[in-house]
Each structure stands twice: as C-alpha cells, then as structure tokens.
C-alpha cells in the first residue's frame, strides 16, 4: 500500500510556511507515521478511513498492538449510510 501519499508535497510546504502542517492521506502503520514525523517539519497526522473500520485503532496502537490498520482504502465506506465499513457488517 502507498502510505502517506501526500508526504512529499506536505514536507515541501512545511519548509515554506510558518504554521503547523497536518498531513492527510494513507496513514496505516505506526512505523510509517513515526518516519513521517521524524523526516521533516510536519507536526500532525490525520486519520479518517482507518477509524471508520477500527474506531479503537489509536487505543490499540497505544496499548502496544502496532499491527497496521485493517483499512484497505477501498472507499466503500463512503457508499454506505452513515459511512460504515463494509468489512464490519
């Protein structure tokens, strides 16, 4: 999976502006997220679809289970009432 697919743009932007940059898009593993935060001046990361599939994901990671998010970025959650993950039905 292509993680952090807007990373290069966000890293370049963070060098040009004096405000915190939040990187959105494709975060699925703690390893990748730590790498992004240590690579440049990006201050924050955003999660969306992974939280639709696993609402408790941050707690799972914080408790030591750092297996990547189960989200496969299929976008089917956006086609359901209330944005529900089709794998959780």
């Amino acid at each position: 999976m292509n993680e952090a697919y807007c990373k290069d743009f966000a890293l370049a932007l963070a060098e040009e502006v004096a405000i915190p940059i939040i990187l959105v898009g494709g975060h699925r593993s703690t390893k990748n997220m730590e790498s992004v935060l240590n690579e440049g001046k990006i201050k924050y990361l955003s999660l969306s679809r992974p939280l639709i599939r696993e609402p408790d994901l941050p707690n799972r990671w914080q408790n030591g289970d750092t297996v990547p998010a189960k989200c496969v970025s299929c976008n089917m959650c956006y086609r359901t009432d209330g944005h529900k993950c089709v794998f959780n039905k």
Side-chain angles (χ1 to χ4, degrees):
M1 157 159 308
N2 181 16
E3 288 195 60
Y5 40 80
C6 296
K7 178 182 79 168
D8 293 338
F9 175 76
L11 285 168
L13 180 63
E15 291 295 326
E16 300 296 324
V17 298
I19 59 172
I21 298 299
I22 302 170
L23 177 56
V24 176
H27 306 297
R28 300 294 183 267
S29 69
T30 58
K31 181 179 178 182
N32 176 72
M33 292 188 290
E34 288 174 9
S35 174
V36 168
L37 292 173
N38 290 323
E39 187 173 337
K41 294 182 178 179
I42 295 171
K43 297 293 183 189
Y44 304 99
L45 302 172
S46 171
L47 293 172
S48 179
R49 289 177 294 183
L51 297 177
I52 293 171
R53 180 145 186 202
E54 294 180 85
D56 201 45
L57 180 62
N59 289 328
R60 178 168 68 81
W61 282 342
Q62 187 174 25
N63 289 326
D65 180 357
T66 58
V67 171
K70 295 176 184 174
C71 178
V72 296
S73 300
C74 68
N75 288 326
M76 294 302 293
C77 54
Y78 293 117
R79 297 184 181 145
T80 65
D81 290 334
H83 299 301
K84 305 285 185 206
C85 179
V86 297
F87 292 102
N88 291 343
K89 290 185 172 225

